[in-house]
Amino acid sequence: MSTGTLIAIIVPVVVVLILAAVVLWYVNRRRRLQRRFGPEYERAVDRTGSHRAAERDLREREQRHDQLQITPLPPDARQRYTEDWKRVQQEFVDRPGEAVQHADRLVTLLMHDRGYPTEGYEQQLRDLSVEHGRTLEHYRAAHATNASARRDDATTEELRGAMVHYRALFAELLNGDEPPGRDSGAGRR
């Protein structure tokens, strides 16, 4: 076999292998982002209109998140938050609209104490999406109901739903993946 023939065979094979490696790298990166961000990945695709733009946005979120000083709460702070959550839930019985507003403030304060910036709702969503992408729909739903409650335009059932949604994010921020109501005491009564 001549050298020219070998080159004619080897070069295309190498090119195909390089292309396959690049495609595999992109597929693995996409899967990693989909696993990490959960439903937030598809939301980003819908918002940006393309996978490439969404993935760029999500990687930027990861980079910003890496710069944050997110820390676990010390046990005494966890206990204090657990007690505060119980009070908010008890308040719901007599003043559901105010309880939802207090739940919103408590979640925001918890975010701040963990090290998340709280300078605006949209930025909160972006920062939370890196570690809590699967819980963001709860936060969005609770936030929307809270806005309705401020206009006196939310039913008691919607307010109850907002409390459930806030509790999901609250528990995740407080305890990681542990649901509220176990050792934390943050669950329903």
Side-chain angles (χ1 to χ4, degrees):
M1 205 181 273
S2 72
T3 305
T5 305
L6 282 175
I7 290 174
I9 293 172
I10 292 174
V11 169
V13 168
V14 169
V15 168
V16 167
L17 289 174
I18 290 172
L19 287 175
V22 168
V23 167
L24 185 61
W25 181 79
Y26 277 111
V27 167
N28 285 336
R29 184 175 71 175
R30 177 170 291 169
R31 284 185 184 148
R32 184 190 65 80
L33 288 170
Q34 288 171 328
R35 275 192 313 275
R36 181 162 200 185
F37 286 91
E40 191 64 18
Y41 178 91
E42 288 306 321
R43 180 180 281 278
V45 170
D46 290 344
R47 186 179 45 77
T48 61
S50 78
H51 286 276
R52 175 176 264 163
E55 290 168 6
R56 183 175 37 253
D57 175 50
L58 296 174
R59 285 191 311 276
E60 288 171 3
R61 293 182 196 192
E62 286 178 323
Q63 290 170 353
R64 175 182 160 91
H65 188 272
D66 289 346
Q67 302 303 313
L68 302 176
Q69 299 296 317
I70 308 299
T71 59
L73 292 174
D76 60 326
R78 285 177 51 151
Q79 183 61 37
R80 187 184 77 242
Y81 273 108
T82 298
E83 291 166 9
D84 290 346
W85 183 257
K86 285 179 184 178
R87 281 191 288 281
V88 168
Q89 287 188 137
Q90 290 168 351
E91 178 185 22
F92 184 82
V93 173
D94 295 321
R95 296 180 307 280
E98 291 176 30
V100 167
Q101 291 175 20
H102 291 154
D104 180 73
R105 284 194 290 274
L106 188 60
V107 166
T108 302
L109 184 59
L110 176 55
M111 288 170 49
H112 179 267
D113 286 355
R114 288 282 317 275
Y116 287 98
T118 56
E119 66 259 12
Y121 174 68
E122 289 300 323
Q123 188 60 50
Q124 287 174 358
L125 290 174
R126 293 176 61 77
D127 291 337
L128 286 170
S129 70
V130 177
E131 289 186 5
H132 307 283
R134 298 187 191 288
T135 312
L136 283 186
E137 286 308 310
H138 288 289
Y139 190 42
R140 282 186 178 96
H143 186 79
T145 301
N146 187 25
S148 294
R150 289 175 192 249
R151 296 184 309 267
D152 286 329
D153 193 27
T155 67
T156 303
E157 185 59 25
E158 289 170 332
L159 295 171
R160 186 198 64 73
M163 290 296 289
V164 170
H165 291 307
Y166 275 128
R167 185 178 64 232
L169 179 59
F170 178 83
E172 193 169 297
L173 287 169
L174 188 67
N175 303 312
D177 293 331
E178 178 187 327
R182 292 206 179 138
D183 296 332
S184 71
R188 278 188 271 191
R189 298 178 135 268

